[in-house]
């Protein structure tokens, strides 16, 4: 099944637009995992099992694995997801961007080595830096458009023909690059008005929306601005708020239970504002 | 020694502006290396030893290693360079770009794990996506400006206040981001006029210039457009033309001798057009 079809199916089946980001930071792991050689794998599998039915996607952030020489654990996490939760898309957050011959290697990394359903990529180098990913017809390519960080405005808000650059990127992708219906865009939750602008430009194209949770984006404004007519169209990502949820000491809750509680709260908070 | 100081010293000591790109493609390796478990390491070490005195930098392209699950061999290659050729900068070509917390992880990947002297990064997410690399005060940050691929124009040539976007990037980096003299820019050899524009904007800032050799950029035009007043200021990259140089069967030349011959020819071709 293609990435887009998988996403449509899981939005419905799980009644959820929540994407659970996997950003493993060992210093924040529970004490009993500290110092274990496969701590990242154990931690991520526990989070996955605790939140799978609340999520429409899992998004491992490859930088956290690369800094820790833990690519092998990322491979195992992706294989675990494919095997146990084959209906939930894996979004590899890699934000790659390079010329064609090199992009082919990055596509192999994402789609063959990690067997991800989709990968995030950077548009700065243009269409031929994106095209090699599109050769993988059943996979998705999620292109940075308007990012949730403060510095995002440095380039993305430069005015081109009276419109900010990020809107040109949205238009380029919608009108030219999305030749086979495989594309999606990254648009941060921290700018709901801009999310609404992008939604207008791209029709029903899926949006990956980081920036709620630890980054402080407003859920109501985000959902209202970004959803499609049928109340879907978004993977709203939360990473740290779920992974490192504060456990409730009175109830003896462990980290997986705390993660599940926050994931359910986030899913439900999103659903409250979705169109029927 | 800082990246910039190292670069200035090796430009002089080796009388070379040639950067040797390490893009290991096993299918193109000599027959006797095919199928060996550490073929990449063996190949790259042989290329390094054959070309070190002709080069001002080595630039491993991480995508080729990542696609082949060969990060351990990349670590060994970087360690080999650090140990045997500590005066030659290692430029990790990774083109990373992500928000601050994630960029910190990528900086650790580049500067701690691989111990690179400099890393290439993408400017699309703005200054706070670049700042974490600048915390490593002795390292360099090489920011994509005008790339050598045809699709580079899709975004980089959009007009912002009557100037193409890539010139804004050059200006941003020169005037705002380069707070500690650690920055350099990527500007492709395929557009000499634009290289000259960038040189005007950024003063003596080093430029990493891909696009000669297999990509067809003109050496004379590149050197004339991009050099500084003292005839340096550039790392002119060649990867495939050196790594996979055709051996001369009449002389019984092996792949390292062929690589050395092409590296010397390229260094000399560059030097022919340098200011005194």
């Amino acid at each position: 099944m293609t990435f887009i079809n998988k996403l449509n199916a899981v939005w419905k089946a799980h009644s959820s637009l929540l994407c659970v980001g996997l950003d493993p930071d060992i210093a924040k792991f529970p004490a009993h995992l500290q110092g274990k050689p496969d701590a990242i794998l154990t931690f991520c599998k526990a989070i996955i099992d605790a939140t799978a039915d609340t999520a429409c996607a899992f998004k491992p952030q490859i930088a956290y694995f690369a800094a820790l020489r833990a690519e092998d654990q990322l491979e195992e996490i992706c294989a675990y997801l494919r095997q146990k939760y084959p209906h939930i898309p894996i979004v590899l957050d890699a934000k790659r961007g390079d010329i064609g011959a090199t992009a082919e290697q990055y596509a192999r990394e994402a789609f063959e080595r990690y067997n991800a359903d989709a990968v995030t990529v950077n548009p700065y180098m243009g269409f031929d830096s994106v095209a090699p990913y599109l050769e993988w017809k059943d996979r998705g390519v999620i292109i940075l458009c308007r990012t949730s960080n403060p510095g995002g405005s440095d380039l993305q808000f430069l005015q081109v023909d009276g419109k900010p650059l990020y809107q040109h990127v949205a238009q380029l992708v919608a009108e030219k690059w999305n030749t086979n219906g495989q594309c999606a865009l990254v648009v941060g939750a921290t700018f709901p008005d801009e999310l609404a602008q992008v939604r207008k430009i791209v029709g029903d194209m899926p949006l990956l929306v980081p920036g709620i949770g630890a980054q402080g984006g407003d859920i109501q404004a985000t959902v209202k601005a970004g959803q499609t007519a049928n109340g879907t169209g978004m993977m709203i990502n939360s990473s740290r708020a779920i992974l490192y949820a504060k456990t409730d000491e009175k109830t003896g809750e462990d980290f997986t239970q705390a993660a599940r509680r926050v994931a359910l709260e986030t899913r439900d908070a999103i659903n409250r504002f979705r169109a029927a």
Side-chain angles (χ1 to χ4, degrees), chain A residues 174-248:
Chain A
E175 293 170 12
K176 294 193 180 161
W177 297 5
N178 191 23
T179 48
N180 187 40
Q182 293 164 265
C183 293
L185 292 176
V186 175
V187 185
T190 37
F191 309 100
D193 292 348
E194 296 166 34
L195 185 53
Q197 292 285 343
V198 173
R199 174 54 74 207
K200 259 193 225 163
I201 294 168
V202 302
D204 285 347
M205 185 181 290
L207 304 178
L208 172 62
V209 183
I212 64 159
Q215 289 184 62
D218 176 76
I219 290 180
Q220 177 172 6
T222 299
V223 177
K224 293 205 163 179
Q227 68 187 326
T228 53
N230 74 354
T232 65
M234 289 193 285
M235 296 162 275
I236 301 179
N237 187 73
S238 178
S239 303
R240 286 167 279 176
I242 292 172
L243 302 184
Y244 312 113
K246 202 169 151 46
T247 51
D248 182 339

Side-chain angles (χ1 to χ4, degrees), chain A residues 62-267:
Chain A
I62 197 169
Y64 285 83
F65 296 87
L68 298 168
R69 314 180 70 233
E71 283 89 359
D72 53 339
Q73 295 185 65
L74 177 55
E75 287 178 10
E76 286 193 63
I77 290 163
C78 292
Y80 183 75
L81 280 166
R82 278 277 175 180
Q83 185 258 320
K84 196 161 173 194
Y85 305 103
H87 62 295
I88 306 179
I90 304 169
V91 173
L92 185 70
D93 199 356
K95 300 190 178 69
R96 300 304 191 227
D98 214 305
I99 60 167
T102 305
E104 281 173 28
Q105 305 301 317
Y106 280 132
R108 284 182 60 191
E109 179 194 32
F111 297 147
E112 191 177 284
R113 178 179 185 183
Y114 296 114
N115 204 359
D117 294 280
V119 64
T120 55
V121 304
N122 189 305
Y124 189 71
M125 293 182 70
F127 182 66
D128 61 354
S129 74
V130 171
Y133 303 93
L134 299 172
E135 291 299 312
W136 298 69
K137 299 293 180 196
D138 60 338
R139 310 302 169 100
V141 181
I142 307 177
I143 297 156
L144 299 184
C145 176
R146 179 70 174 121
T147 61
S148 56
N149 58 315
S153 306
D154 288 345
L155 264 72
Q156 296 156 26
F157 221 73
L158 291 174
Q159 298 292 305
V160 181
D161 294 335
K163 274 184 312 197
L165 178 61
Y166 77 88
Q167 292 186 18
H168 278 267
V169 171
Q171 230 167 348
L172 265 177
V173 175
E175 293 170 12
K176 294 193 180 161
W177 297 5
N178 191 23
T179 48
N180 187 40
Q182 293 164 265
C183 293
L185 292 176
V186 175
V187 185
T190 37
F191 309 100
D193 292 348
E194 296 166 34
L195 185 53
Q197 292 285 343
V198 173
R199 174 54 74 207
K200 259 193 225 163
I201 294 168
V202 302
D204 285 347
M205 185 181 290
L207 304 178
L208 172 62
V209 183
I212 64 159
Q215 289 184 62
D218 176 76
I219 290 180
Q220 177 172 6
T222 299
V223 177
K224 293 205 163 179
Q227 68 187 326
T228 53
N230 74 354
T232 65
M234 289 193 285
M235 296 162 275
I236 301 179
N237 187 73
S238 178
S239 303
R240 286 167 279 176
I242 292 172
L243 302 184
Y244 312 113
K246 202 169 151 46
T247 51
D248 182 339
E249 286 176 15
K250 281 179 294 188
T251 63
E253 196 187 43
D254 78 357
F255 78 100
T256 61
Q257 292 164 327
R260 177 171 182 76
R261 177 175 46 75
V262 174
L264 284 168
E265 286 167 8
T266 311
R267 179 199 67 183

